């Protein structure tokens, strides 16, 4: 790794500190104003932001200088770079951190590993190696957010789960944004009612977020529309660099808004528009790859559910079957934990599980109405009739 100088607390001032971090400081101050919300940050929720915390020492007491090898000078550099907590440092990549604090890659990797070790010692994170039965027991108690449709929840084996990236892709009008709007309304509800009892961060890159639609869904489902709207923090993103900067600082906003659900609608539209032609494909894919892996680390460490929507493209060499495939290539396909393909079927929609570590490959039919994503009326009626038939046979 690095020499001994990277392991001792550095008390001496760094002459390059001001020059290398002026831009980071200005970007940090600018980004604090990008979210619009009612009172999500001023009314803390009852549930803690980290459900896996079991230590007597809460995470808020862990300071950057508690990490081995980090002294006041390095701590100041980290804060000027936007890394204000141990959690922020733990999810940062070594290459990115080395540039931000003007250090070697080995030194940056040492700081990141030390931050992760501190979180494990504080029982915020699990040990590096655990038995499979322990993981199974933890997954049984994992939070899941209902999509609003029973059929879609059954396809997902309980709903949108935390510590995972769930991707919905399909053509325009297939219901991607409508599912996202429904999730915003449901996430505020208690855990026993299919929600997460938390606020939601909605990153809008296509200008499709409509608070009027959230209000309509909440009223149709019997929720308090005012409380639902106040629990949603919206960030409108205008270019790919802006989106990457938001994702870089996403951990801070998850803490500020006590969010358990993060929605990115859509994840690729800006990169797809700005990087045109084969000459920019490699750069686009690498930037997407770095951003997506930061999202994956955030889901695991902050115990949040991330939902992303994706666009589609047609494959002209497909002569049989559906020529539609997800945009973003293999980079986006490998980053998603669960991938669901949405398509139109008259007035209804069909969701198909395309990729999952354990879900069966099956379809689910649902509809879109004033409740957002909802079950088909005929399916609801058939279920009620079957229950009546079973009761009459008893």
């Amino acid at each position: 790794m690095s020499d001994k100088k990277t392991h001792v607390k550095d008390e001496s001032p760094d002459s390059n500190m001001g020059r290398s971090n002026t831009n980071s400081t200005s970007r940090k101050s600018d980004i604090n104003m990008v979210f619009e919300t009612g009172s999500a940050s001023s009314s803390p929720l009852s549930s803690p932001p980290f459900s896996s915390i079991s230590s007597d020492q809460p995470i808020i007491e862990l300071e950057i200088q508690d990490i081995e090898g980090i002294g006041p000078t390095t701590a100041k550099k980290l804060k000027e770079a936007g890394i204000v907590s141990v959690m922020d440092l733990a999810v940062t990549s070594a290459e990115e951190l080395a540039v931000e604090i003007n250090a070697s890659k080995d030194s940056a990797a040492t700081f990141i590993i030390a931050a992760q070790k501190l979180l494990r010692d504080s029982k915020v994170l699990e040990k590096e190696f655990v038995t499979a039965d322990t993981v199974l027991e933890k997954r049984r108690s994992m939070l899941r957010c209902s999509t609003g449709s029973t059929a879609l929840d059954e396809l997902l084996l309980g709903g949108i789960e935390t510590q995972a990236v769930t991707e919905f892709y399909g053509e325009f009008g297939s219901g991607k944004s409508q599912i996202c709007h429904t999730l915003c309304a449901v996430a505020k509800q208690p855990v026993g009612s299919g929600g997460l009892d938390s606020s939601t961060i909605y990153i809008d890159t296509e200008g499709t977020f409509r608070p009027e639609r959230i209000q309509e869904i909440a009223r149709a489902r019997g929720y308090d529309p005012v409380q639902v709207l106040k629990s949603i923090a919206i960030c409108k993103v205008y270019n790919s660099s802006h989106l990457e900067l938001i994702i870089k600082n996403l951990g801070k906003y998850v803490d500020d808004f006590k969010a358990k659900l993060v929605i990115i609608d859509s994840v690729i539209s800006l990169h797809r528009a700005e990087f045109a032609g084969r000459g920019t494909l490699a750069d686009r894919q690498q930037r997407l790859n770095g951003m997506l892996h930061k999202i994956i680390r955030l889901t695991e460490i902050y115990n949040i559910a991330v939902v992303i929507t994706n666009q589609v493209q047609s494959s002209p060499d497909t002569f049989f079957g559906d020529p539609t495939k997800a945009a973003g290539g293999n980079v986006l396909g490998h980053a998603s934990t669960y991938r669901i393909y949405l398509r139109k079927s008259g007035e209804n929609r069909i969701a198909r599980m395309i990729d999952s570590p354990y879900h069966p490959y099956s379809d689910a039919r649902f509809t879109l109405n004033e409740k957002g994503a909802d079950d088909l009326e005929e399916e609801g009626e058939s279920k009620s009739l079957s229950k009546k038939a079973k009761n009459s046979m008893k």
Side-chain angles (χ1 to χ4, degrees):
M1 299 294 288
S2 58
D3 56 12
K4 292 183 180 180
K5 292 181 180 180
T6 61
H7 296 279
V8 297
K9 293 191 175 183
D10 45 347
E11 306 294 338
S12 59
D14 192 341
S15 60
N16 294 327
M17 179 176 58
R19 175 171 53 84
S20 61
N21 292 290
T22 304
N23 294 335
S24 299
T25 306
S26 60
R27 285 184 298 171
K28 187 66 179 178
S29 61
D30 292 340
I31 200 172
N32 286 332
M33 303 179 66
V34 297
F35 281 90
E36 302 173 4
T37 182
S39 58
S41 60
S42 61
S43 56
L45 302 171
S46 57
S47 59
F50 309 101
S51 62
S52 59
I53 293 178
S54 58
S55 174
D56 294 332
Q57 181 188 21
I59 185 62
I60 196 172
E61 294 183 4
L62 295 178
E63 300 291 341
I64 289 287
Q65 294 189 35
D66 294 334
I67 301 173
E68 182 181 358
I70 294 183
T73 303
T74 303
K76 185 177 180 181
K77 288 183 180 181
L78 292 171
K79 290 181 180 180
E80 289 177 346
I83 301 173
V84 296
S85 69
V86 180
M87 302 290 277
D88 291 338
L89 181 56
V91 300
T92 305
S93 66
E95 293 83 358
E96 180 183 348
L97 181 62
V99 174
E100 292 287 354
I101 66 174
N102 194 19
S104 66
K105 183 179 177 180
D106 289 341
S107 299
T110 302
F111 295 148
I112 295 171
I113 293 172
Q116 294 173 353
K117 183 179 182 298
L118 178 60
L119 292 175
R120 290 190 179 95
D121 293 342
S122 304
K123 297 182 180 180
V124 177
L125 296 180
E126 290 184 345
K127 298 178 181 179
E128 291 178 327
F129 287 91
V130 293
T131 57
D133 62 324
T134 303
V135 177
L136 178 61
E137 190 65 27
K138 180 182 178 182
R139 285 191 56 81
R140 286 174 177 170
S141 60
M142 184 177 292
L143 295 177
R144 287 178 170 83
C145 183
S146 172
T147 60
S149 167
T150 304
L152 197 52
D153 288 345
E154 291 176 355
L155 178 70
L156 294 166
L157 300 182
I160 305 295
E161 67 180 40
T162 54
Q163 298 187 20
V165 178
T166 304
E167 175 194 350
F168 291 97
Y169 77 91
E171 63 179 356
F172 63 94
S174 58
K176 303 184 297 295
S177 296
Q178 294 302 312
I179 291 176
C180 294
H181 282 65
T182 309
L183 286 170
C184 288
V186 176
K188 176 61 177 173
Q189 308 313 308
V191 175
S193 301
L196 298 174
D197 194 18
S198 72
S199 59
T200 301
I201 292 177
Y202 197 110
I203 302 174
D204 183 13
T205 67
E206 296 183 337
T208 55
F209 180 83
R210 293 294 181 270
E212 299 90 346
R213 181 60 172 145
I214 298 288
Q215 190 177 49
E216 180 187 22
I217 293 172
R219 286 175 176 170
R221 292 183 175 273
Y223 305 152
D224 184 352
V226 176
Q227 293 302 317
V228 169
L229 289 172
K230 287 183 177 181
S231 70
I232 305 170
I234 308 101
C235 176
K236 292 185 178 181
V237 182
Y238 302 102
N239 55 61
S240 61
S241 298
H242 188 192
L243 177 61
E244 292 167 12
L245 187 59
I246 292 294
I247 298 302
K248 176 185 174 182
N249 295 275
L250 187 57
K252 174 184 181 299
Y253 297 115
V254 169
D255 269 345
D256 290 346
F257 297 110
K258 302 296 184 292
K260 282 289 186 182
L261 175 64
V262 175
I263 297 173
I264 307 175
D265 185 23
S266 83
V267 73
I268 199 175
S269 62
L270 297 174
H271 288 79
R272 196 179 185 186
E274 295 175 19
F275 294 85
R278 289 186 176 272
T280 61
L281 182 60
D283 186 25
R284 186 195 79 171
Q285 293 301 92
Q286 187 55 43
R287 291 176 65 172
L288 272 175
N289 194 28
M291 185 178 67
L292 291 167
H293 276 78
K294 178 65 179 287
I295 293 173
I296 293 172
R297 294 193 297 269
L298 288 168
T299 62
E300 296 174 352
I301 291 185
Y302 284 89
N303 191 28
I304 59 175
V306 174
V307 174
I308 62 177
T309 65
N310 190 11
Q311 298 176 347
V312 295
Q313 60 188 30
S314 296
S315 180
D317 57 348
T318 302
F319 298 100
F320 301 99
D322 190 354
T324 304
K325 65 178 183 179
N330 293 328
V331 167
L332 194 52
H334 287 303
S336 300
T337 314
Y338 310 116
R339 172 172 268 198
I340 298 97
Y341 173 37
L342 303 177
R343 60 186 179 91
K344 302 174 185 176
S345 178
E347 295 182 355
N348 302 320
R349 302 293 185 271
I350 297 177
R352 173 172 295 176
M353 182 64 68
I354 299 297
D355 184 38
S356 169
Y358 78 107
H359 288 83
Y361 294 97
S362 57
D363 297 343
R365 295 172 61 87
F366 66 99
T367 189
L368 303 175
N369 54 28
E370 68 278 359
K371 293 183 178 181
D374 197 11
D375 291 320
L376 300 176
E377 293 183 1
E378 55 187 24
E379 290 186 0
E381 293 176 358
S382 62
K383 288 181 180 180
S384 62
L385 289 174
S386 62
K387 287 182 179 179
K388 289 180 181 180
K390 289 180 180 179
N391 294 330
S392 61
M393 293 175 65
K394 291 182 180 180

